[in-house]
Amino acid sequence: TRWRWPILIALLATVVPAAWGGLKMVRQGRWDGPSSIARFWSHVRSPLAWSPRRRFHSAFGAQFWLEWRRQGWRLPGISGGLALLVVPITLLATTKLGALKPPPLEVILSILVLMPLLFSGVIGHALGKFDPLDSTREMPVYIAVRPMTDGGFVMAKLVMALAASVLTWLLTLAGACLCLVIMGTGTLFSKAGSVTPYGPVALAIGCVPLLLLLVILTWKNMVAGIGAVLTGRQWIVTIFLCKSAFFYTGLLLLGEFAIIDQDLRKALLHWLPGLLIVLLAAKIVFSICAFAWGLRRNAITAWAVGWTVGGWFVCGLFVAGYGGLVCHAMNKPELWIWAALAGFLVLPLAELAIAPLALAWNRHR
């Protein structure tokens, strides 16, 4: 503590005169200010660069690289960092260094599974912005005048979100394995026999579909609301958030009332398949109209439409198949049709169909 005052005096004696002299030189025109330092650093950094200048084979590849540099590492960095650093270090401190009892294995795995799903919904809302640091939601001039279709920009964001989701779950899986190793030798495979009689290899293979389902759900949370954000209008984003809040709140209340009231539950079970079919048909019709309008306005290409519809259909079939497997394991095969229809409804299609039109509205105002 006795060195605090000498250090403070030394800093004041050097920093303040240097700043005063530098400002005086800038005002007299004898020095360009920090811009000369930036030029010097750019000349020094170029020979020390780890990789040569990147060359892109297409405009889509360049846009994907830009999207990944701006927003790609956000979800893997936060969720994967917590799974690989915070949770294992906390578990190690409670088990090895302290007298506290470690939490149960189910609690740790539940936290690791819920983190990407929760963070993707919070962080992914800004996916539609081209500059995450800009709070005005205005489109950068570079993006507005770039010779790319609106569908190309949207596809670059969707692919970036999928890559971020895959990387996030790989890091989360590595963090889960690290936590299981910290909890004790053999914990990683100790419960494999209670799940399947075919050993840990069969357990790992059986977890692959579940991992793919979690990747799809995380990607869905990231791209939810992309159409509203791409419009660049704050009032549209506010309406979308209010609509989502009212919808999910009403769904939770309806579920609670159905649990309490048996008559309401029977009525819902009777009308639910027809209601889901009507909603799915309306979603498909609206998406077809939006895609047709985007093709007519040259906002999207047939290639982007094919990839969007094909990806939605393949993911829907996967969710439907996984739902059928779960219903068969629960000995309730009659619930499969509900799970399949709900899976197709949850996956975004109308949101992706309207996203190029929303971007065109923002881009050409």
Side-chain angles (χ1 to χ4, degrees), residues 151 155 158 287 291-292 295 300-315 349 352-353 356:
M155 288 298 297
L158 297 181
S287 303
F291 280 131
L295 289 173
I300 192 172
T301 60
W303 173 83
V305 173
W307 274 103
T308 303
V309 176
W312 175 79
F313 186 72
V314 171
C315 292
L349 180 63
L352 304 184

Side-chain angles (χ1 to χ4, degrees), residues 80 83-84 109 112 116 166-180 188 204 207-208 211:
L84 282 174
L109 295 181
L112 293 177
V166 172
L167 181 59
T168 299
W169 279 106
L170 290 178
L171 295 176
T172 303
L173 182 62
C177 294
L178 181 60
C179 291
L180 293 176
L188 185 59
C207 289
V208 171
L211 183 63

